[in-house]
């Protein structure tokens, strides 16, 4: 039988105080995942290429769509996002982006992104957007489970853990963690706008 091939995407570029910025995230200290200027962004992509990395990912999102009424996270500057994607193309790297808002996704298409790692949540996708994807030969990976998870963390994890194969594959400490009210409540506190997510999953 054919065996799936797994391609690791690294590094994950973000911005300081943006999503996926948190302290303690394992990263290569020789690559700045939070470039502040287009020139710095290009330099970091070249560093990634020199290490043999073939794919990079960008977090281009304030998370305001699920954070309200909490303050949104900082978002990467558009010129930095563009510089990362265009330099990656020059270097022959595959690029993925988390940009779940249609406006941001259109900017990413214009900058030449290879793939959307998650679907768009705030608006229905129009034919013009689909044609732009086809024209750029970009991939669209909906990953709807991300939104289903945020809409109902406890229900999602209960369903996942009901599969004995999944449950038995987890170390005991992780299985206990994913069954904990503290785990569910932590997500509810950080991403409280579950009503928006549920409405846009319909």
């Amino acid at each position: 039988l054919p065996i799936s091939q797994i391609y690791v995407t690294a590094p994950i570029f973000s911005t300081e105080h943006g999503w996926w910025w948190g302290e303690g995230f394992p990263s290569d200290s020789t690559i700045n995942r939070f470039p502040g200027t287009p020139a710095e962004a290009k330099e970091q992509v070249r560093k990634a290429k020199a290490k043999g990395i073939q794919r990079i990912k960008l977090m281009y999102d304030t998370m305001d769509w699920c954070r309200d009424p909490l303050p949104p996270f900082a978002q990467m500057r558009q010129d930095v996002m563009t510089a990362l994607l265009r330099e990656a193309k020059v270097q022959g790297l595959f690029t993925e982006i988390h940009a779940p808002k249609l406006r941001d996704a259109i900017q990413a298409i214009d900058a030449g992104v290879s793939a959307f790692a998650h679907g768009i949540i705030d608006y229905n996708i129009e034919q013009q957007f689909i044609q732009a994807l086809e024209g750029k030969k970009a991939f669209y990976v909906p990953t709807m489970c991300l939104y289903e998870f945020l809409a109902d963390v406890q229900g999602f994890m209960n369903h996942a853990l009901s599969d004995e194969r999944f449950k038995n594959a987890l170390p005991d400490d992780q299985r206990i963690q994913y069954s904990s009210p503290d785990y569910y409540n932590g997500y509810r506190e950080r991403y409280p706008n579950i009503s928006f997510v549920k409405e846009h999953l319909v």
Side-chain angles (χ1 to χ4, degrees):
L1 294 175
I3 298 175
S4 299
Q5 296 184 7
I6 299 175
Y7 296 91
V8 177
T9 301
I12 299 178
F13 287 103
S14 183
T15 190
E16 289 192 352
H17 307 292
W19 195 42
W20 220 261
W21 176 73
E23 302 249 345
F25 184 80
S27 60
D28 183 341
S29 61
T30 65
I31 296 178
N32 179 11
R33 296 193 303 112
F34 320 113
T37 65
E40 189 176 10
K42 293 178 182 180
E43 180 185 2
Q44 303 316 305
V45 171
R46 290 192 288 268
K47 284 184 177 181
K49 173 66 178 294
K51 289 176 175 287
I53 291 171
Q54 299 178 1
R55 306 161 76 94
I56 63 170
K57 182 175 180 178
L58 283 63
M59 308 306 289
Y60 193 54
D61 185 16
T62 66
M63 299 291 284
D64 59 343
W65 51 273
C66 64
R67 291 263 303 164
D68 187 62
L70 297 178
F73 293 132
Q75 182 162 339
M76 180 186 293
R77 285 171 32 185
Q78 183 180 351
D79 60 347
V80 171
M81 178 272 295
T82 299
L84 285 166
L85 294 178
R86 290 185 176 169
E87 183 62 25
K89 186 172 184 179
V90 169
Q91 299 298 328
L93 304 183
F94 190 89
T95 56
E96 300 175 27
I97 196 166
H98 167 85
K101 295 168 69 174
L102 182 59
R103 179 195 62 192
D104 297 337
I106 290 171
Q107 293 173 1
I109 286 180
D110 291 342
V113 72
S114 306
F116 290 92
H118 308 118
I120 293 168
I121 188 69
D122 62 340
Y123 289 104
N124 291 332
I125 298 174
E126 299 176 349
Q127 186 63 31
Q128 184 178 358
F129 181 81
I130 295 172
Q131 290 173 345
L133 281 174
E134 292 173 344
K136 298 283 186 176
K137 293 183 171 57
F139 295 91
Y140 183 87
V141 185
T143 329
M144 299 307 294
C145 61
L146 167 70
Y147 305 118
E148 293 167 352
F149 174 82
L150 289 175
D152 181 8
V153 176
Q154 184 172 359
F156 185 94
M157 292 310 303
N158 286 344
H159 178 72
L161 292 170
S162 69
D163 187 324
E164 292 296 320
R165 295 169 300 174
F166 178 73
K167 185 170 67 173
N168 294 335
L170 291 174
D172 288 343
D173 58 339
Q174 289 187 4
R175 180 174 45 77
I176 292 169
Q177 175 191 359
Y178 296 150
S179 304
S180 165
D182 289 340
Y183 180 77
Y184 310 143
N185 293 335
Y187 273 93
R188 176 65 64 87
E189 291 169 4
R190 292 192 301 275
Y191 310 111
N193 194 7
I194 61 172
S195 60
F196 177 92
V197 182
K198 287 181 176 179
E199 288 169 6
H200 287 74
L201 277 172
V202 176

